Short mmCIF file of all heavy atoms in Angstrom, two decimals:
data_model
loop_
_atom_site.label_atom_id
_atom_site.label_comp_id
_atom_site.label_asym_id
_atom_site.label_seq_id
_atom_site.Cartn_x
_atom_site.Cartn_y
_atom_site.Cartn_z
N MET A 1 -42.88 -25.88 55.65
CA MET A 1 -42.18 -25.21 54.53
C MET A 1 -41.32 -24.19 55.06
O MET A 1 -41.58 -23.39 55.90
CB MET A 1 -43.31 -24.63 53.56
CG MET A 1 -42.66 -23.87 52.44
SD MET A 1 -43.95 -23.31 51.26
CE MET A 1 -44.34 -24.79 50.37
N LYS A 2 -40.11 -24.03 54.35
CA LYS A 2 -39.15 -23.01 54.74
C LYS A 2 -38.99 -22.04 53.61
O LYS A 2 -39.02 -22.45 52.41
CB LYS A 2 -37.77 -23.58 55.09
CG LYS A 2 -36.77 -22.64 55.55
CD LYS A 2 -35.50 -23.18 55.78
CE LYS A 2 -34.47 -22.17 56.17
NZ LYS A 2 -33.13 -22.64 56.17
N VAL A 3 -38.90 -20.74 53.87
CA VAL A 3 -38.83 -19.80 52.81
C VAL A 3 -37.49 -19.04 52.99
O VAL A 3 -37.15 -18.50 54.17
CB VAL A 3 -39.88 -18.73 52.87
CG1 VAL A 3 -39.78 -17.72 51.73
CG2 VAL A 3 -41.24 -19.41 52.59
N SER A 4 -36.68 -18.93 52.02
CA SER A 4 -35.39 -18.25 52.07
C SER A 4 -35.39 -17.15 51.08
O SER A 4 -35.86 -17.30 49.95
CB SER A 4 -34.22 -19.17 51.66
OG SER A 4 -34.18 -20.34 52.56
N LEU A 5 -34.95 -15.93 51.50
CA LEU A 5 -34.90 -14.84 50.66
C LEU A 5 -33.38 -14.48 50.33
O LEU A 5 -32.58 -14.48 51.25
CB LEU A 5 -35.49 -13.69 51.31
CG LEU A 5 -36.97 -13.71 51.74
CD1 LEU A 5 -37.43 -12.51 52.47
CD2 LEU A 5 -37.83 -14.11 50.54
N ASP A 6 -33.06 -14.17 49.14
CA ASP A 6 -31.80 -13.70 48.68
C ASP A 6 -31.88 -12.17 48.46
O ASP A 6 -32.23 -11.80 47.32
CB ASP A 6 -31.25 -14.39 47.57
CG ASP A 6 -29.82 -14.09 47.25
OD1 ASP A 6 -29.36 -13.07 47.65
OD2 ASP A 6 -29.18 -14.89 46.50
N ARG A 7 -31.64 -11.45 49.44
CA ARG A 7 -31.82 -9.98 49.28
C ARG A 7 -30.88 -9.42 48.29
O ARG A 7 -31.03 -8.30 47.73
CB ARG A 7 -31.74 -9.26 50.60
CG ARG A 7 -33.02 -9.52 51.49
CD ARG A 7 -32.92 -9.12 52.87
NE ARG A 7 -32.49 -7.71 53.09
CZ ARG A 7 -33.26 -6.68 53.25
NH1 ARG A 7 -34.56 -6.83 53.18
NH2 ARG A 7 -32.78 -5.48 53.41
N ASP A 8 -29.69 -10.09 48.07
CA ASP A 8 -28.75 -9.60 47.03
C ASP A 8 -29.37 -9.80 45.62
O ASP A 8 -28.94 -9.00 44.72
CB ASP A 8 -27.44 -10.31 47.13
CG ASP A 8 -26.64 -9.97 48.37
OD1 ASP A 8 -26.89 -8.89 48.97
OD2 ASP A 8 -25.88 -10.85 48.86
N ARG A 9 -30.23 -10.63 45.48
CA ARG A 9 -30.81 -10.79 44.14
C ARG A 9 -32.21 -9.95 43.97
O ARG A 9 -32.59 -9.77 42.80
CB ARG A 9 -31.18 -12.29 43.90
CG ARG A 9 -29.87 -13.10 43.91
CD ARG A 9 -30.27 -14.57 43.55
NE ARG A 9 -30.58 -14.70 42.08
CZ ARG A 9 -30.64 -15.76 41.43
NH1 ARG A 9 -30.30 -16.92 42.01
NH2 ARG A 9 -30.92 -15.78 40.16
N CYS A 10 -32.80 -9.66 45.02
CA CYS A 10 -34.06 -8.95 44.96
C CYS A 10 -33.87 -7.65 44.21
O CYS A 10 -32.95 -6.83 44.42
CB CYS A 10 -34.59 -8.68 46.38
SG CYS A 10 -36.14 -7.68 46.44
N CYS A 11 -34.78 -7.37 43.22
CA CYS A 11 -34.77 -6.16 42.50
C CYS A 11 -35.94 -5.20 42.82
O CYS A 11 -36.28 -4.29 41.99
CB CYS A 11 -34.65 -6.44 41.01
SG CYS A 11 -35.98 -7.52 40.44
N SER A 12 -36.49 -5.45 44.02
CA SER A 12 -37.57 -4.60 44.52
C SER A 12 -38.77 -4.36 43.68
O SER A 12 -39.35 -3.29 43.65
CB SER A 12 -36.90 -3.25 44.89
OG SER A 12 -35.75 -3.38 45.68
N SER A 13 -39.10 -5.40 42.89
CA SER A 13 -40.26 -5.31 42.02
C SER A 13 -41.65 -5.17 42.82
O SER A 13 -42.54 -4.58 42.36
CB SER A 13 -40.38 -6.46 41.09
OG SER A 13 -40.75 -7.59 41.77
N GLY A 14 -41.64 -5.77 44.01
CA GLY A 14 -42.79 -5.67 44.88
C GLY A 14 -43.95 -6.69 44.48
O GLY A 14 -44.99 -6.72 45.00
N LEU A 15 -43.62 -7.58 43.53
CA LEU A 15 -44.63 -8.53 43.09
C LEU A 15 -45.05 -9.43 44.27
O LEU A 15 -46.28 -9.73 44.34
CB LEU A 15 -44.02 -9.40 41.96
CG LEU A 15 -45.04 -10.18 41.10
CD1 LEU A 15 -46.04 -9.24 40.49
CD2 LEU A 15 -44.33 -10.91 39.96
N CYS A 16 -44.12 -9.90 45.00
CA CYS A 16 -44.44 -10.82 46.10
C CYS A 16 -45.32 -10.16 47.16
O CYS A 16 -46.29 -10.69 47.64
CB CYS A 16 -43.19 -11.42 46.79
SG CYS A 16 -42.05 -10.20 47.40
N VAL A 17 -45.03 -8.88 47.34
CA VAL A 17 -45.85 -8.07 48.33
C VAL A 17 -47.22 -7.87 47.79
O VAL A 17 -48.24 -7.95 48.59
CB VAL A 17 -45.11 -6.80 48.66
CG1 VAL A 17 -45.96 -5.93 49.63
CG2 VAL A 17 -43.65 -7.04 49.20
N SER A 18 -47.31 -7.62 46.52
CA SER A 18 -48.66 -7.46 45.92
C SER A 18 -49.47 -8.73 45.99
O SER A 18 -50.72 -8.64 46.29
CB SER A 18 -48.48 -7.05 44.49
OG SER A 18 -47.86 -5.80 44.35
N ASN A 19 -48.87 -9.82 45.84
CA ASN A 19 -49.61 -11.05 45.76
C ASN A 19 -49.86 -11.68 47.22
O ASN A 19 -50.79 -12.34 47.32
CB ASN A 19 -48.91 -12.13 44.95
CG ASN A 19 -48.94 -11.80 43.47
OD1 ASN A 19 -49.94 -11.15 42.96
ND2 ASN A 19 -47.95 -12.13 42.72
N ALA A 20 -48.96 -11.45 48.09
CA ALA A 20 -49.13 -12.05 49.52
C ALA A 20 -48.65 -11.02 50.51
O ALA A 20 -47.59 -11.21 51.17
CB ALA A 20 -48.34 -13.31 49.61
N PRO A 21 -49.40 -9.92 50.67
CA PRO A 21 -48.86 -8.88 51.57
C PRO A 21 -48.95 -9.29 53.05
O PRO A 21 -48.29 -8.66 53.88
CB PRO A 21 -49.91 -7.69 51.35
CG PRO A 21 -51.12 -8.41 50.82
CD PRO A 21 -50.62 -9.51 49.97
N GLU A 22 -49.59 -10.38 53.35
CA GLU A 22 -49.57 -10.84 54.74
C GLU A 22 -48.32 -11.61 55.07
O GLU A 22 -47.95 -11.88 56.19
CB GLU A 22 -50.86 -11.69 55.08
CG GLU A 22 -50.85 -13.02 54.30
CD GLU A 22 -51.19 -12.94 52.86
OE1 GLU A 22 -51.58 -11.87 52.39
OE2 GLU A 22 -51.17 -13.96 52.11
N ILE A 23 -47.55 -11.97 54.03
CA ILE A 23 -46.38 -12.84 54.24
C ILE A 23 -45.10 -11.99 53.92
O ILE A 23 -44.10 -11.97 54.62
CB ILE A 23 -46.38 -14.01 53.35
CG1 ILE A 23 -47.50 -14.90 53.74
CG2 ILE A 23 -44.98 -14.75 53.38
CD1 ILE A 23 -47.80 -16.08 52.71
N PHE A 24 -45.12 -11.24 52.76
CA PHE A 24 -43.96 -10.38 52.33
C PHE A 24 -44.05 -9.00 52.59
O PHE A 24 -45.20 -8.49 52.60
CB PHE A 24 -43.66 -10.74 50.90
CG PHE A 24 -43.45 -12.12 50.55
CD1 PHE A 24 -44.45 -12.97 50.07
CD2 PHE A 24 -42.16 -12.71 50.72
CE1 PHE A 24 -44.15 -14.23 49.68
CE2 PHE A 24 -41.89 -13.96 50.30
CZ PHE A 24 -42.94 -14.78 49.82
N ASP A 25 -43.00 -8.29 52.78
CA ASP A 25 -42.98 -6.83 52.98
C ASP A 25 -41.71 -6.32 52.26
O ASP A 25 -40.84 -7.05 51.94
CB ASP A 25 -42.99 -6.52 54.50
CG ASP A 25 -43.24 -5.05 54.71
OD1 ASP A 25 -43.71 -4.33 53.80
OD2 ASP A 25 -42.93 -4.60 55.90
N GLN A 26 -41.70 -5.07 52.11
CA GLN A 26 -40.46 -4.37 51.54
C GLN A 26 -39.95 -3.50 52.51
O GLN A 26 -40.68 -2.70 53.17
CB GLN A 26 -40.84 -3.71 50.24
CG GLN A 26 -41.06 -4.66 49.00
CD GLN A 26 -41.42 -3.93 47.76
OE1 GLN A 26 -42.54 -3.58 47.54
NE2 GLN A 26 -40.42 -3.70 46.88
N ASP A 27 -38.63 -3.41 52.63
CA ASP A 27 -37.97 -2.54 53.54
C ASP A 27 -38.24 -1.05 53.15
O ASP A 27 -38.13 -0.72 51.96
CB ASP A 27 -36.49 -2.82 53.42
CG ASP A 27 -35.66 -2.07 54.58
OD1 ASP A 27 -35.51 -0.80 54.36
OD2 ASP A 27 -35.30 -2.72 55.54
N ASP A 28 -38.62 -0.32 54.13
CA ASP A 28 -38.92 1.09 53.86
C ASP A 28 -37.71 1.84 53.28
O ASP A 28 -37.95 2.86 52.58
CB ASP A 28 -39.45 1.87 55.12
CG ASP A 28 -40.83 1.30 55.47
OD1 ASP A 28 -41.54 0.77 54.64
OD2 ASP A 28 -41.17 1.42 56.71
N HIS A 29 -36.56 1.38 53.64
CA HIS A 29 -35.34 2.16 53.29
C HIS A 29 -34.90 1.80 51.88
O HIS A 29 -34.66 2.74 51.01
CB HIS A 29 -34.22 1.96 54.26
CG HIS A 29 -32.99 2.56 53.94
ND1 HIS A 29 -32.76 3.95 53.86
CD2 HIS A 29 -31.74 2.09 53.56
CE1 HIS A 29 -31.54 4.24 53.56
NE2 HIS A 29 -30.83 3.13 53.37
N ASP A 30 -34.74 0.54 51.58
CA ASP A 30 -34.12 0.21 50.32
C ASP A 30 -35.07 -0.62 49.42
O ASP A 30 -34.72 -0.98 48.31
CB ASP A 30 -32.84 -0.67 50.53
CG ASP A 30 -33.11 -1.94 51.46
OD1 ASP A 30 -34.21 -2.41 51.52
OD2 ASP A 30 -32.08 -2.44 51.94
N GLY A 31 -36.32 -0.91 49.92
CA GLY A 31 -37.24 -1.53 49.01
C GLY A 31 -37.03 -3.08 48.81
O GLY A 31 -37.84 -3.73 48.11
N LEU A 32 -36.08 -3.63 49.52
CA LEU A 32 -35.81 -5.02 49.37
C LEU A 32 -36.77 -5.81 50.20
O LEU A 32 -37.33 -5.39 51.20
CB LEU A 32 -34.37 -5.34 49.84
CG LEU A 32 -33.28 -4.70 49.01
CD1 LEU A 32 -31.89 -5.00 49.55
CD2 LEU A 32 -33.29 -5.08 47.51
N VAL A 33 -36.99 -7.05 49.69
CA VAL A 33 -38.03 -7.97 50.29
C VAL A 33 -37.56 -8.42 51.70
O VAL A 33 -36.40 -8.45 52.02
CB VAL A 33 -38.18 -9.19 49.41
CG1 VAL A 33 -36.89 -10.04 49.37
CG2 VAL A 33 -39.34 -10.01 49.89
N ARG A 34 -38.59 -8.56 52.52
CA ARG A 34 -38.34 -9.20 53.81
C ARG A 34 -39.62 -9.98 54.23
O ARG A 34 -40.72 -9.72 53.72
CB ARG A 34 -37.95 -8.19 54.91
CG ARG A 34 -39.00 -7.15 55.22
CD ARG A 34 -38.50 -6.10 56.12
NE ARG A 34 -39.63 -5.14 56.48
CZ ARG A 34 -39.37 -4.02 57.12
NH1 ARG A 34 -38.19 -3.71 57.53
NH2 ARG A 34 -40.34 -3.20 57.34
N LEU A 35 -39.44 -10.93 55.09
CA LEU A 35 -40.60 -11.78 55.57
C LEU A 35 -41.17 -11.07 56.70
O LEU A 35 -40.54 -10.51 57.68
CB LEU A 35 -40.10 -13.15 55.96
CG LEU A 35 -39.85 -14.12 54.73
CD1 LEU A 35 -39.10 -15.31 55.35
CD2 LEU A 35 -41.00 -14.45 54.00
N ARG A 36 -42.54 -11.12 56.76
CA ARG A 36 -43.27 -10.60 58.03
C ARG A 36 -43.11 -11.61 59.11
O ARG A 36 -43.28 -11.28 60.31
CB ARG A 36 -44.67 -10.33 57.67
CG ARG A 36 -44.87 -9.18 56.66
CD ARG A 36 -46.30 -8.85 56.51
NE ARG A 36 -46.54 -7.67 55.62
CZ ARG A 36 -46.52 -6.40 56.09
NH1 ARG A 36 -46.28 -6.17 57.35
NH2 ARG A 36 -46.74 -5.43 55.25
N ARG A 37 -42.92 -12.83 58.77
CA ARG A 37 -42.87 -13.91 59.76
C ARG A 37 -42.15 -15.11 59.20
O ARG A 37 -41.96 -15.16 57.98
CB ARG A 37 -44.26 -14.29 60.31
CG ARG A 37 -45.21 -14.63 59.29
CD ARG A 37 -46.68 -14.65 59.84
NE ARG A 37 -47.66 -14.44 58.88
CZ ARG A 37 -48.23 -15.31 58.04
NH1 ARG A 37 -47.69 -16.57 58.17
NH2 ARG A 37 -49.12 -15.11 57.16
N THR A 38 -41.86 -16.10 59.98
CA THR A 38 -41.09 -17.20 59.43
C THR A 38 -41.84 -18.55 59.64
O THR A 38 -41.33 -19.60 59.25
CB THR A 38 -39.73 -17.37 60.21
OG1 THR A 38 -40.04 -17.44 61.58
CG2 THR A 38 -38.90 -16.14 59.97
N THR A 39 -43.02 -18.53 60.09
CA THR A 39 -43.83 -19.77 60.16
C THR A 39 -45.13 -19.55 59.28
O THR A 39 -45.63 -18.36 59.26
CB THR A 39 -44.30 -20.17 61.56
OG1 THR A 39 -45.00 -19.01 62.08
CG2 THR A 39 -43.07 -20.43 62.39
N PHE A 40 -45.50 -20.61 58.62
CA PHE A 40 -46.58 -20.44 57.66
C PHE A 40 -47.65 -21.60 57.75
O PHE A 40 -47.35 -22.64 58.18
CB PHE A 40 -45.97 -20.53 56.23
CG PHE A 40 -44.83 -19.59 56.04
CD1 PHE A 40 -43.66 -20.02 56.15
CD2 PHE A 40 -45.09 -18.17 55.91
CE1 PHE A 40 -42.55 -19.14 55.94
CE2 PHE A 40 -43.99 -17.40 55.82
CZ PHE A 40 -42.77 -17.82 55.79
N GLN A 41 -48.85 -21.26 57.53
CA GLN A 41 -49.94 -22.23 57.58
C GLN A 41 -49.96 -23.02 56.19
O GLN A 41 -49.64 -22.47 55.23
CB GLN A 41 -51.24 -21.62 57.79
CG GLN A 41 -51.35 -20.89 59.14
CD GLN A 41 -51.24 -21.79 60.32
OE1 GLN A 41 -51.80 -22.90 60.33
NE2 GLN A 41 -50.39 -21.36 61.24
N PRO A 42 -50.35 -24.28 56.27
CA PRO A 42 -50.39 -25.02 55.01
C PRO A 42 -51.25 -24.28 53.96
O PRO A 42 -51.03 -24.42 52.72
CB PRO A 42 -51.02 -26.39 55.48
CG PRO A 42 -50.57 -26.61 56.88
CD PRO A 42 -50.56 -25.12 57.41
N SER A 43 -52.30 -23.62 54.45
CA SER A 43 -53.14 -22.96 53.43
C SER A 43 -52.41 -21.87 52.70
O SER A 43 -52.81 -21.27 51.67
CB SER A 43 -54.35 -22.33 54.14
OG SER A 43 -53.93 -21.42 55.16
N GLU A 44 -51.21 -21.42 53.26
CA GLU A 44 -50.45 -20.34 52.59
C GLU A 44 -49.35 -20.96 51.62
O GLU A 44 -48.73 -20.15 50.92
CB GLU A 44 -49.72 -19.48 53.67
CG GLU A 44 -50.70 -18.75 54.48
CD GLU A 44 -50.03 -18.00 55.72
OE1 GLU A 44 -49.17 -18.66 56.30
OE2 GLU A 44 -50.33 -16.84 55.85
N TYR A 45 -49.19 -22.24 51.72
CA TYR A 45 -48.08 -22.80 50.80
C TYR A 45 -48.34 -22.51 49.36
O TYR A 45 -47.40 -22.23 48.69
CB TYR A 45 -48.09 -24.35 51.12
CG TYR A 45 -47.58 -24.77 52.43
CD1 TYR A 45 -47.50 -26.11 52.75
CD2 TYR A 45 -47.18 -23.85 53.40
CE1 TYR A 45 -47.02 -26.47 54.00
CE2 TYR A 45 -46.77 -24.17 54.63
CZ TYR A 45 -46.63 -25.57 54.93
OH TYR A 45 -46.31 -26.09 56.18
N PRO A 46 -49.52 -22.55 48.80
CA PRO A 46 -49.59 -22.19 47.37
C PRO A 46 -49.23 -20.81 47.07
O PRO A 46 -48.56 -20.51 46.06
CB PRO A 46 -51.16 -22.39 47.20
CG PRO A 46 -51.64 -23.43 48.08
CD PRO A 46 -50.80 -23.06 49.33
N ASP A 47 -49.49 -19.83 47.94
CA ASP A 47 -49.03 -18.50 47.77
C ASP A 47 -47.50 -18.32 47.84
O ASP A 47 -46.87 -17.66 47.07
CB ASP A 47 -49.62 -17.60 48.83
CG ASP A 47 -51.15 -17.25 48.56
OD1 ASP A 47 -51.62 -17.48 47.45
OD2 ASP A 47 -51.80 -16.81 49.53
N LEU A 48 -46.93 -19.14 48.73
CA LEU A 48 -45.44 -19.14 48.82
C LEU A 48 -44.78 -19.74 47.52
O LEU A 48 -43.83 -19.19 47.00
CB LEU A 48 -45.01 -19.87 50.05
CG LEU A 48 -45.40 -19.20 51.33
CD1 LEU A 48 -45.22 -20.18 52.53
CD2 LEU A 48 -44.57 -17.96 51.58
N ARG A 49 -45.35 -20.80 47.07
CA ARG A 49 -44.80 -21.41 45.90
C ARG A 49 -44.97 -20.52 44.70
O ARG A 49 -44.00 -20.33 43.84
CB ARG A 49 -45.51 -22.74 45.56
CG ARG A 49 -45.24 -23.80 46.63
CD ARG A 49 -45.95 -25.13 46.23
NE ARG A 49 -45.77 -26.19 47.18
CZ ARG A 49 -46.87 -26.46 47.98
NH1 ARG A 49 -48.05 -26.01 47.77
NH2 ARG A 49 -46.73 -27.43 48.97
N LEU A 50 -46.14 -19.81 44.66
CA LEU A 50 -46.36 -18.90 43.51
C LEU A 50 -45.36 -17.71 43.57
O LEU A 50 -44.94 -17.30 42.48
CB LEU A 50 -47.84 -18.43 43.45
CG LEU A 50 -48.19 -17.54 42.36
CD1 LEU A 50 -48.17 -18.38 40.98
CD2 LEU A 50 -49.66 -17.11 42.56
N ALA A 51 -45.17 -17.24 44.79
CA ALA A 51 -44.19 -16.10 44.86
C ALA A 51 -42.87 -16.45 44.42
O ALA A 51 -42.18 -15.68 43.74
CB ALA A 51 -44.23 -15.71 46.42
N ALA A 52 -42.38 -17.63 44.72
CA ALA A 52 -41.09 -18.08 44.37
C ALA A 52 -41.07 -18.27 42.78
O ALA A 52 -40.09 -17.92 42.13
CB ALA A 52 -40.69 -19.45 44.99
N GLU A 53 -42.16 -18.75 42.23
CA GLU A 53 -42.19 -18.97 40.85
C GLU A 53 -42.26 -17.66 39.97
O GLU A 53 -41.63 -17.55 38.98
CB GLU A 53 -43.47 -19.80 40.51
CG GLU A 53 -43.56 -20.24 39.07
CD GLU A 53 -44.85 -21.00 38.84
OE1 GLU A 53 -45.21 -21.80 39.71
OE2 GLU A 53 -45.56 -20.83 37.84
N LEU A 54 -42.92 -16.70 40.57
CA LEU A 54 -43.14 -15.53 39.79
C LEU A 54 -42.04 -14.37 40.13
O LEU A 54 -41.99 -13.49 39.35
CB LEU A 54 -44.49 -14.78 40.16
CG LEU A 54 -45.72 -15.65 39.85
CD1 LEU A 54 -47.02 -14.97 40.24
CD2 LEU A 54 -45.77 -15.93 38.29
N CYS A 55 -41.24 -14.55 41.09
CA CYS A 55 -40.22 -13.58 41.40
C CYS A 55 -39.32 -13.37 40.19
O CYS A 55 -38.70 -14.36 39.81
CB CYS A 55 -39.45 -13.94 42.61
SG CYS A 55 -38.03 -12.77 42.94
N PRO A 56 -39.29 -12.15 39.59
CA PRO A 56 -38.47 -11.94 38.44
C PRO A 56 -36.93 -12.11 38.62
O PRO A 56 -36.21 -12.17 37.68
CB PRO A 56 -38.83 -10.51 37.98
CG PRO A 56 -39.28 -9.90 39.19
CD PRO A 56 -39.90 -10.91 40.06
N CYS A 57 -36.53 -12.09 39.89
CA CYS A 57 -35.05 -12.05 40.12
C CYS A 57 -34.62 -13.38 40.81
O CYS A 57 -33.45 -13.57 41.14
CB CYS A 57 -34.78 -10.91 41.06
SG CYS A 57 -35.16 -9.31 40.34
N GLY A 58 -35.49 -14.38 40.98
CA GLY A 58 -35.19 -15.58 41.63
C GLY A 58 -34.74 -15.38 43.05
O GLY A 58 -33.81 -16.14 43.49
N ALA A 59 -35.32 -14.50 43.76
CA ALA A 59 -34.81 -14.20 45.12
C ALA A 59 -35.56 -14.96 46.22
O ALA A 59 -35.11 -14.89 47.41
CB ALA A 59 -34.99 -12.60 45.36
N ILE A 60 -36.53 -15.67 45.83
CA ILE A 60 -37.36 -16.47 46.85
C ILE A 60 -37.16 -17.89 46.59
O ILE A 60 -37.37 -18.45 45.44
CB ILE A 60 -38.87 -16.05 46.68
CG1 ILE A 60 -39.10 -14.57 46.93
CG2 ILE A 60 -39.66 -16.82 47.78
CD1 ILE A 60 -40.46 -14.04 46.70
N THR A 61 -36.81 -18.67 47.57
CA THR A 61 -36.71 -20.10 47.46
C THR A 61 -37.56 -20.73 48.52
O THR A 61 -37.50 -20.34 49.72
CB THR A 61 -35.26 -20.57 47.69
OG1 THR A 61 -34.37 -19.85 46.76
CG2 THR A 61 -35.08 -22.08 47.62
N VAL A 62 -38.44 -21.69 48.16
CA VAL A 62 -39.27 -22.46 49.08
C VAL A 62 -38.68 -23.83 49.22
O VAL A 62 -38.37 -24.44 48.22
CB VAL A 62 -40.67 -22.36 48.77
CG1 VAL A 62 -41.21 -21.00 48.84
CG2 VAL A 62 -41.00 -23.03 47.43
N THR A 63 -38.64 -24.35 50.41
CA THR A 63 -38.15 -25.67 50.59
C THR A 63 -39.33 -26.49 51.34
O THR A 63 -39.75 -26.02 52.40
CB THR A 63 -36.94 -25.75 51.55
OG1 THR A 63 -35.94 -24.86 50.88
CG2 THR A 63 -36.45 -27.09 51.67
N GLU A 64 -39.72 -27.49 50.60
CA GLU A 64 -40.78 -28.31 51.17
C GLU A 64 -40.38 -29.05 52.39
O GLU A 64 -39.24 -29.47 52.46
CB GLU A 64 -41.35 -29.27 50.15
CG GLU A 64 -41.75 -28.59 48.75
CD GLU A 64 -43.07 -27.93 48.87
OE1 GLU A 64 -43.82 -28.11 49.77
OE2 GLU A 64 -43.30 -27.07 47.96
N ASP A 65 -41.25 -29.20 53.29
CA ASP A 65 -40.88 -30.06 54.50
C ASP A 65 -40.71 -31.51 54.00
O ASP A 65 -41.41 -31.93 53.11
CB ASP A 65 -42.06 -30.02 55.48
CG ASP A 65 -42.23 -28.66 56.17
OD1 ASP A 65 -41.26 -27.95 56.24
OD2 ASP A 65 -43.37 -28.29 56.43
N THR A 66 -39.87 -32.18 54.68
CA THR A 66 -39.71 -33.51 54.40
C THR A 66 -40.70 -34.36 55.09
O THR A 66 -41.17 -34.11 56.21
CB THR A 66 -38.32 -34.08 54.85
OG1 THR A 66 -38.12 -33.81 56.16
CG2 THR A 66 -37.15 -33.41 54.05
N ALA A 67 -41.19 -35.42 54.39
CA ALA A 67 -42.24 -36.27 54.91
C ALA A 67 -41.68 -36.93 56.22
O ALA A 67 -40.46 -37.33 56.30
CB ALA A 67 -42.66 -37.28 53.94
N PRO A 68 -42.57 -37.09 57.19
CA PRO A 68 -42.13 -37.84 58.39
C PRO A 68 -41.73 -39.30 58.08
O PRO A 68 -42.36 -39.82 57.18
CB PRO A 68 -43.28 -37.76 59.36
CG PRO A 68 -44.47 -37.40 58.52
CD PRO A 68 -43.95 -36.66 57.26
N ALA A 69 -40.87 -39.77 58.83
CA ALA A 69 -40.56 -41.20 58.70
C ALA A 69 -41.70 -42.09 58.92
O ALA A 69 -42.61 -41.72 59.56
CB ALA A 69 -39.34 -41.52 59.62
N ASP A 70 -41.72 -43.28 58.29
CA ASP A 70 -42.83 -44.15 58.34
C ASP A 70 -42.73 -45.01 59.58
O ASP A 70 -43.34 -46.06 59.58
CB ASP A 70 -42.90 -45.00 57.08
CG ASP A 70 -43.34 -44.24 55.91
OD1 ASP A 70 -43.97 -43.15 56.10
OD2 ASP A 70 -43.09 -44.67 54.77
N GLY A 71 -41.98 -44.57 60.51
CA GLY A 71 -41.92 -45.40 61.77
C GLY A 71 -40.83 -46.43 61.60
O GLY A 71 -40.05 -46.52 60.59
N PRO A 72 -40.72 -47.29 62.60
CA PRO A 72 -39.60 -48.35 62.64
C PRO A 72 -39.73 -49.27 61.40
O PRO A 72 -40.90 -49.57 60.99
CB PRO A 72 -39.80 -49.05 63.91
CG PRO A 72 -41.10 -48.68 64.46
CD PRO A 72 -41.51 -47.39 63.67
N ALA A 73 -38.65 -49.59 60.83
CA ALA A 73 -38.66 -50.55 59.76
C ALA A 73 -39.21 -51.94 60.28
O ALA A 73 -38.89 -52.32 61.37
CB ALA A 73 -37.20 -50.76 59.18
N ALA A 74 -39.86 -52.54 59.33
CA ALA A 74 -40.38 -53.89 59.68
C ALA A 74 -39.25 -54.92 59.82
O ALA A 74 -38.28 -54.83 59.04
CB ALA A 74 -41.36 -54.38 58.56
N THR A 75 -39.34 -55.74 60.72
CA THR A 75 -38.34 -56.72 60.92
C THR A 75 -38.80 -58.14 60.30
O THR A 75 -39.97 -58.40 60.46
CB THR A 75 -37.99 -56.91 62.38
OG1 THR A 75 -39.11 -57.21 63.09
CG2 THR A 75 -37.32 -55.54 62.91
N GLY A 76 -37.91 -58.81 59.83
CA GLY A 76 -38.26 -60.13 59.34
C GLY A 76 -38.45 -61.11 60.47
O GLY A 76 -38.05 -60.86 61.61
N SER A 77 -39.07 -62.25 60.22
CA SER A 77 -39.39 -63.24 61.24
C SER A 77 -38.41 -64.45 61.03
O SER A 77 -37.89 -64.60 60.07
CB SER A 77 -40.80 -63.66 61.23
OG SER A 77 -41.19 -64.07 59.96
S1 LIG B 101 -40.94 -10.44 43.74
FE1 LIG B 101 -38.75 -11.03 43.96
S2 LIG B 101 -37.68 -9.22 43.24
FE2 LIG B 101 -39.79 -8.51 43.62
S3 LIG B 101 -39.73 -7.72 45.70
FE3 LIG B 101 -40.37 -9.92 45.92
S4 LIG B 101 -38.35 -10.91 46.15
FE4 LIG B 101 -37.89 -8.91 45.48
#
């Protein structure tokens, strides 16, 4: 899963930090959101999805990983 932040849209509500402080942080200077890290465990995916859903400014976008290919296509005989 990839997480993108649009700091131009962030209104510094702090909701994401309150709900997932191990993932999100706010800049000490301007209060805008930032990520503490860029890799996430599958167990954190629900928190990431919720953060994107609840952000009042639409500043968080989560992109699901694409499923791995199913291997080589079957060939006819
Ligand atoms: S919830 Fe949204 S608006 Fe609030 S700090 Fe996080 S990214 Fe910014």
Side-chain angles (χ1 to χ4, degrees):
M1 176 175 282
K2 181 180 177 193
V3 178
S4 301
L5 302 178
D6 186 343
R7 288 168 52 92
D8 289 335
R9 296 185 72 164
C10 176
C11 52
S12 308
S13 72
L15 196 58
C16 57
V17 180
S18 295
N19 289 330
E22 67 285 354
I23 299 172
F24 297 98
D25 192 13
Q26 285 178 278
D27 189 285
D28 289 338
H29 177 66
D30 56 20
L32 297 178
V33 67
R34 63 184 181 190
L35 285 170
R36 291 185 177 277
R37 52 192 157 84
T38 56
T39 58
F40 311 100
Q41 298 298 314
S43 61
E44 297 174 312
Y45 291 179
D47 286 341
L48 291 166
R49 293 185 189 106
L50 186 63
E53 184 180 325
L54 295 181
C55 175
C57 302
I60 303 172
T61 302
V62 296
T63 306
E64 305 284 342
D65 294 330
T66 55
D70 288 338
T75 57
S77 55

